[in-house]
Amino acid sequence: MTIVQLLTTMVSIIIVPLQGDINSRRCQWDIAAWYEIPSSQVFVCDRYPEVRRYFTTHELAHHMWFKLLTQKQRDSYKVEWEKSKVLGITHFWREYGMTNVEEGFADDVMYIINEPFKVNKYPPQAKKRLLKVRQLMSLVQRKWNQNK
């Protein structure tokens, strides 16, 4: 089972129409997707179908961050994220990943899953951070498999 398949067994994914739903207003604010921690729900606006998988995997990564990683694991990623942030945008997929450590992690998971061939094109510190993300993804998968 891939990490995406695993995460989708734990999280409800709700496609939000652009009109007529209680959540539709958020889609009008140029928000593509969001994750609600208490309910473990991912909401994805019903637009941009060509990149919906990116938004969905980004939000699934938030579930991994907040519900599946230990504080020690989050701290180990944060060390690498902070080193990359000092080096600037060339060490991130996009500027949004520099917003905070949680968004950086979610962006890293999103691109590792959707654009794995691009990982080797990044500078050494970025590769080190992405290796950390891959290790954390593997740990989550292994732990889940052991608990089956």
Side-chain angles (χ1 to χ4, degrees):
M1 181 174 289
T2 69
I3 191 73
V4 173
Q5 291 169 326
L6 169 62
L7 292 171
T8 56
T9 66
M10 302 174 181
V11 174
S12 298
I13 300 173
I14 300 161
I15 305 298
V16 179
L18 298 180
Q19 296 179 12
D21 183 271
I22 193 165
N23 292 301
S24 295
R25 286 191 73 194
R26 288 182 96 172
C27 293
Q28 303 303 323
W29 299 334
D30 201 32
I31 295 173
W34 65 95
Y35 172 69
E36 291 189 355
I37 297 170
S39 63
S40 295
Q41 292 180 309
V42 169
F43 294 85
V44 182
C45 296
D46 192 17
R47 63 176 171 190
Y48 313 126
E50 65 281 1
V51 291
R52 187 178 299 148
R53 66 189 167 111
Y54 289 83
F55 299 136
T56 303
T57 52
H58 175 98
E59 300 307 330
L60 288 171
H62 282 305
H63 179 76
M64 187 173 148
W65 178 267
F66 289 111
K67 300 271 182 130
L68 302 177
L69 298 181
T70 65
Q71 186 61 51
K72 184 177 179 180
Q73 290 167 331
R74 288 190 296 268
D75 289 345
S76 70
Y77 171 80
K78 185 177 181 181
V79 167
E80 299 306 325
W81 179 83
E82 287 174 339
K83 289 177 186 175
S84 293
K85 187 169 182 185
V86 168
L87 296 171
I89 188 65
T90 59
H91 286 70
F92 289 87
W93 304 103
R94 60 183 180 149
E95 193 171 344
Y96 192 66
M98 296 176 66
T99 305
N100 59 47
V101 67
E102 296 90 357
E103 295 301 344
F105 180 80
D107 258 15
D108 285 346
V109 170
M110 174 179 70
Y111 279 99
I112 286 171
I113 289 170
N114 292 296
E115 305 272 354
F117 54 90
K118 290 186 177 178
V119 170
N120 289 328
K121 296 180 180 179
Y122 279 82
Q125 176 52 44
K127 288 180 191 173
K128 191 172 178 186
R129 186 185 78 246
L130 297 171
L131 177 61
K132 173 57 69 179
V133 173
R134 283 185 167 158
Q135 290 170 343
L136 293 171
M137 290 166 63
S138 293
L139 284 171
V140 167
Q141 282 180 290
R142 261 194 311 249
K143 185 176 177 184
W144 188 83
N145 286 331
Q146 289 171 350
N147 293 332
K148 279 175 54 174

